[in-house]
Amino acid sequence: MGTLGKTIYTVGFWIRETGQAIDRLGRVLQGKHYVQEQLSRHRTIMNVYDKSPVVDKDVFVAPSASVIGDVQVGRASSIWYGCVLRGDVNSIRVGSGTNIQDNALVHVAKTNLAGKVLPTIIGDNVTIGHSAVIHACTVENEAFVGMGATLLDGVIVEKNAMVAAGALVRQNTKIPSGEVWGGNPAKFLRKLTEEEIAFISQSATNYTNLAQVHAAENAKSFDEIEFEKALRKKFANKDEEYDSMLGVVRETPPELILPDNVLPEKAESKSFKV
């Protein structure tokens, strides 16, 4: 560190010391009315007992998510904002390329009344919709669980099966491959079309790509964020020049373009009603 660097460091140190001294004086003046402010203790990855989560380096775990205890998450999966994966009394296993969307809850049971051990197992390329509850059950590869659905202990969702949004799937129910189940309690609605089965795989791919965008944004330092804010303000009316400086291409990447059957304006003519 050169002379200039040492000078800047020293000035910064004394500014921080002065701020702390002012804070201590303020606490004294407040007397018995002083309330100590606690920093948030939220931890995205947290041990419990002697169990530590094992999360692949390519996984996106949103800052507000919680992955706790005996949890393993495979390559290219994504755990979105507000999710909780709590592997305390049993284990949770999540495969590769799976997305567990915002505010979903994944938990386990130690055993059921018959003494059967009930971990939660979620396979590869699975989509778990927003606010779904997955409790002590198995969701096989390339299955789809809709938004707000609840899967109770012992449920098995087979490969290429779909649980409709808002469904309540009772204990020990098995949803066969290629079927859509919905309602409260959930029951068979109809068979999936080939187009819908392809959509399940595409949904997982879309989320894998989208997770990379969010991971990159969340990885930015405070200085990078402030720099971009300044550029955005300076070039607010010069989008082309601003984008050029940041290396941004406004065209949507092909891998983020949803297939025609899931675009709202094109879905009206389809029979996709889940």
Side-chain angles (χ1 to χ4, degrees):
M1 185 183 293
T3 303
L4 179 59
K6 289 180 179 179
T7 302
I8 293 173
Y9 175 85
T10 302
V11 171
F13 173 82
W14 283 112
I15 289 174
R16 294 182 66 186
E17 286 291 308
T18 301
Q20 291 172 10
I22 292 172
D23 180 64
R24 288 192 292 270
L25 175 60
R27 281 184 286 173
V28 170
L29 294 175
Q30 285 182 317
K32 65 180 182 179
H33 301 291
Y34 161 66
V35 177
Q36 185 172 358
E37 297 178 7
Q38 299 288 342
L39 292 175
S40 170
R41 291 183 56 80
H42 171 75
R43 287 188 285 166
T44 301
I45 308 294
M46 191 178 88
N47 299 356
V48 66
Y49 305 125
D50 60 340
K51 301 296 183 181
S52 303
V54 178
V55 179
D56 189 90
K57 62 182 179 61
D58 292 327
V59 170
F60 167 62
V61 180
S64 57
S66 297
V67 180
I68 303 166
D70 190 359
V71 180
Q72 293 183 13
V73 185
R75 181 178 178 276
S77 288
S78 53
I79 313 299
W80 291 80
Y81 305 94
C83 283
V84 177
L85 280 67
R86 179 157 59 92
D88 42 15
V89 298
N90 216 319
S91 63
I92 296 172
R93 299 292 179 263
V94 179
S96 301
T98 287
N99 62 94
I100 302 178
Q101 296 173 17
D102 314 71
N103 296 318
L105 170 65
V106 181
H107 193 222
V108 292
K110 192 170 185 179
T111 59
N112 62 10
L113 293 175
K116 182 180 179 180
V117 177
L118 291 173
T120 291
I121 301 171
I122 301 173
D124 300 334
N125 302 316
V126 172
T127 290
I128 306 293
H130 311 288
S131 299
V133 177
I134 311 297
H135 199 275
C137 56
T138 298
V139 183
E140 295 183 356
N141 297 346
E142 297 180 8
F144 186 102
V145 178
M147 294 182 286
T150 299
L151 278 58
L152 299 181
D153 296 11
V155 166
I156 298 175
V157 182
E158 292 188 344
K159 180 177 180 178
N160 291 333
M162 180 179 286
V163 178
L168 174 63
V169 186
R170 293 184 293 186
Q171 293 182 354
N172 303 316
T173 300
K174 178 182 284 189
I175 300 180
S177 177
E179 294 185 1
V180 184
W181 283 50
N184 181 3
K187 55 181 147 183
F188 170 75
L189 298 179
R190 60 178 175 82
K191 291 284 189 178
L192 285 165
T193 65
E194 291 184 6
E195 186 180 50
E196 290 165 349
I197 291 174
F199 160 74
I200 294 175
S201 297
Q202 187 61 48
S203 175
T205 300
N206 290 342
Y207 259 90
T208 295
N209 294 328
L210 188 59
Q212 295 176 19
V213 177
H214 283 257
E217 187 65 31
N218 278 283
K220 290 178 180 177
S221 67
F222 177 79
D223 288 342
E224 288 176 310
I225 294 170
E226 290 300 304
F227 176 69
E228 287 191 6
K229 283 168 63 178
L231 281 180
R232 193 172 293 114
K233 183 177 180 181
K234 182 176 180 180
F235 295 98
N237 298 319
K238 302 176 184 178
D239 288 341
E240 189 172 327
E241 186 176 357
Y242 166 64
D243 287 349
S244 176
M245 289 187 65
L246 292 183
V248 172
V249 178
R250 284 193 174 272
E251 290 81 2
T252 304
E255 62 271 18
L256 293 183
I257 298 175
L258 296 176
D260 289 347
N261 62 302
V262 296
L263 293 174
E265 64 272 17
K266 297 183 180 180
E268 296 177 358
S269 61
K270 304 290 184 179
S271 60
F272 184 72
K273 299 177 181 178
V274 177

